[in-house]
Amino acid sequence: MDKYEEAAKSLRKSMKGIGTDESRLIKEIVNHSNSERQSIKEIYLTMYGKTLEESIKSEISGNFLEGVLALLEPVEKYEAKCLRKALKALNTNEKILIQTLCPKEAYEIENLKLVYNTTYERSLEKDIVTECSGYLGRLLRSVVSCGRSENYRIDFSLAKKEAQELYDVKLDQLKKNVISFK
């Protein structure tokens, strides 16, 4: 028996009988990566004939249930759901958009756009254009267009040259300010 089957059995045991063994449930869910949880969900369905989510929904509730279900979703699907919720809110939740999109690499955004478009039959880029304006809207549109370079090679001579130019400009400004106060 592999570790995923053991985890599925342990999850089943945590929900069997009177009450729920929340500690065991938490341990089994958080001690596995998201991709491992996806494998456990498939095995659980095969072994018990119902989804892990269905079993969990019958055992727990409230914010604890929401947190556990969030951990069981594939990352991209959960993030697409968060983006959709943020975009369709009465006041667009820009903080969620920033936190979800800005740290991502171009390939991650492409994958997220694909999941969003497939799940909601909408274009993430078009929704951002519609819902976000001003400089933040421009920034988010730029991020979602995936135009960033993924070339992480650092040109140290260029960095040193640009740092010196910034230093010289700032030094000149300081000299002018000192002269004007005399």
Side-chain angles (χ1 to χ4, degrees):
M1 178 175 5
D2 72 358
K3 70 178 185 173
Y4 302 139
E5 284 182 30
E6 287 179 27
K9 283 184 178 182
S10 181
L11 284 162
R12 175 72 168 193
K13 190 172 181 180
S14 75
M15 297 178 275
K16 198 110 169 118
I18 299 172
T20 304
D21 184 349
E22 288 88 356
S23 295
R24 175 178 268 184
L25 182 68
I26 292 167
K27 178 183 165 264
E28 288 300 338
I29 289 173
V30 301
N31 284 340
H32 294 92
S33 70
N34 189 273
S35 62
E36 290 173 328
R37 288 191 291 268
Q38 303 317 306
S39 298
I40 293 166
K41 284 171 41 179
E42 289 176 24
I43 290 169
Y44 189 94
L45 177 61
T46 303
M47 291 173 72
Y48 302 109
K50 70 192 263 188
T51 68
L52 179 56
E53 292 89 342
E54 289 172 322
S55 294
I56 289 172
K57 285 177 185 176
S58 70
E59 295 291 325
I60 61 176
S61 62
N63 290 333
F64 181 45
L65 173 62
E66 293 300 315
V68 169
L69 293 177
L71 285 166
L72 291 174
E73 275 193 83
V75 174
E76 295 84 6
K77 191 167 184 177
Y78 179 75
E79 289 178 337
K81 184 190 291 186
C82 290
L83 289 172
R84 182 70 194 127
K85 187 176 178 182
L87 286 163
K88 75 177 192 176
L90 187 57
N91 292 322
T92 302
N93 189 336
E94 294 163 341
K95 187 175 183 179
I96 296 294
L97 299 176
I98 293 166
Q99 290 173 338
T100 306
L101 295 171
C102 290
K104 294 207 172 308
E105 302 291 338
Y107 75 91
E108 293 173 307
I109 291 173
E110 287 295 342
N111 193 25
L112 182 56
K113 287 186 333 187
L114 179 65
V115 172
Y116 184 94
N117 297 354
T118 304
T119 304
Y120 298 106
E121 297 178 352
R122 306 174 62 88
S123 164
L124 177 59
E125 290 177 89
K126 286 181 183 175
D127 284 353
I128 287 176
V129 167
T130 303
E131 297 298 326
C132 301
S133 60
Y135 290 120
L136 179 59
R138 287 175 55 190
L139 173 75
L140 292 173
R141 287 189 300 278
S142 178
V143 167
V144 171
S145 73
C146 299
R148 301 189 263 200
S149 169
E150 294 200 14
N151 178 5
Y152 297 114
R153 200 181 89 243
I154 299 170
D155 184 342
F156 288 104
S157 62
L158 178 62
K160 187 175 180 179
K161 177 182 169 258
E162 289 178 349
Q164 186 63 49
E165 288 171 2
L166 288 170
Y167 176 79
D168 292 342
V169 167
K170 195 64 176 170
L171 189 59
D172 286 342
Q173 287 176 348
L174 286 173
K175 287 178 184 175
K176 287 177 185 173
N177 287 340
V178 169
I179 291 170
S180 65
F181 281 111
K182 286 186 178 180

